[in-house]
Amino acid sequence: MIKYRLICKDCETIFDSWFSSSKEYERLKKKNFVNCHICNSLSVEKTLMSPNVFMSKNVPKINSQIKKYTKTKKVILDYQQFIKKNFDYVGENFAYEARSLHYKNKKASKGIYGTTTKEDLKELKEEGIEAETMPWIKDNTN
Ligand SMILES: [Zn+2]
């Protein structure tokens, strides 16, 4: 079994779905059997399996911009470029780096981005560390 994080391009809902294999996913996708759980749209795409997150002093501002601009895939890709340019990539160490930024009060000029698990994200939130998830599309998908 393989879990894919899917995003609906119409209502922007992100949800997880299980498939027996990646081939099975491709097969169902071709037959238009992969649809949004919320609005039934077929404009559903795979995202990375872990939520992509970022944090910076300007998170609320940036987040509202992302929400405004993630209507289309092209804009998401543009925004990924923005994040890549302006944020330091910390990969799967996101939770660790976020805590380090938060507790040491590091004066980071840049924010950070990476991936983390839903559990870590929940813990960060409970510790008062603001991190935001965003849709993320692999560069090599078309
Ligand atoms: Zn939808």
Side-chain angles (χ1 to χ4, degrees):
M1 293 290 281
I2 185 163
K3 184 169 80 173
Y4 282 133
R5 172 146 299 209
L6 304 174
I7 180 165
C8 169
K9 285 195 286 185
D10 287 334
C11 70
E12 296 177 42
T13 303
I14 295 173
F15 55 94
D16 295 331
S17 252
W18 287 93
F19 300 92
S20 58
S21 66
S22 57
K23 271 196 187 137
E24 175 74 357
Y25 167 82
E26 300 298 340
R27 198 178 65 81
L28 293 173
K29 184 87 176 83
K30 263 195 199 122
K31 291 190 169 182
N32 280 342
F33 285 159
V34 181
N35 61 336
C36 173
H37 293 184
I38 305 300
C39 71
N40 273 328
S41 162
L42 291 167
S43 305
V44 168
E45 288 191 351
K46 263 189 293 186
T47 68
L48 287 179
M49 284 163 77
S50 303
N52 280 273
V53 286
F54 65 92
M55 71 175 282
S56 81
K57 285 171 283 186
N58 299 319
V59 157
K61 201 176 110 204
I62 291 172
N63 193 40
S64 70
Q65 284 176 341
I66 287 178
K67 287 226 168 86
K68 195 161 65 183
Y69 289 124
T70 48
K71 297 289 179 206
T72 68
K73 183 172 165 181
K74 182 184 176 306
V75 179
I76 293 175
L77 288 172
D78 284 349
Y79 229 95
Q80 282 178 202
Q81 290 307 316
F82 171 84
I83 297 271
K84 282 178 187 173
K85 221 185 268 175
N86 295 282
F87 289 68
D88 284 328
Y89 182 64
V90 296
E92 291 173 1
N93 288 327
F94 182 84
Y96 172 83
E97 293 291 337
R99 282 195 178 89
S100 151
L101 273 178
H102 183 74
Y103 290 113
K104 290 176 191 160
N105 207 10
K106 269 194 208 165
K107 282 219 171 111
S109 53
K110 280 182 163 185
I112 58 171
Y113 76 100
T115 59
T116 191
T117 62
K118 272 191 269 186
E119 289 73 25
D120 277 343
L121 201 57
K122 192 167 157 262
E123 280 178 24
L124 288 173
K125 211 166 200 172
E126 283 165 5
E127 290 171 45
I129 300 169
E130 288 297 327
E132 295 294 338
T133 58
M134 67 169 289
W136 201 269
I137 299 165
K138 279 187 196 169
D139 290 346
N140 58 4
T141 59
N142 282 312

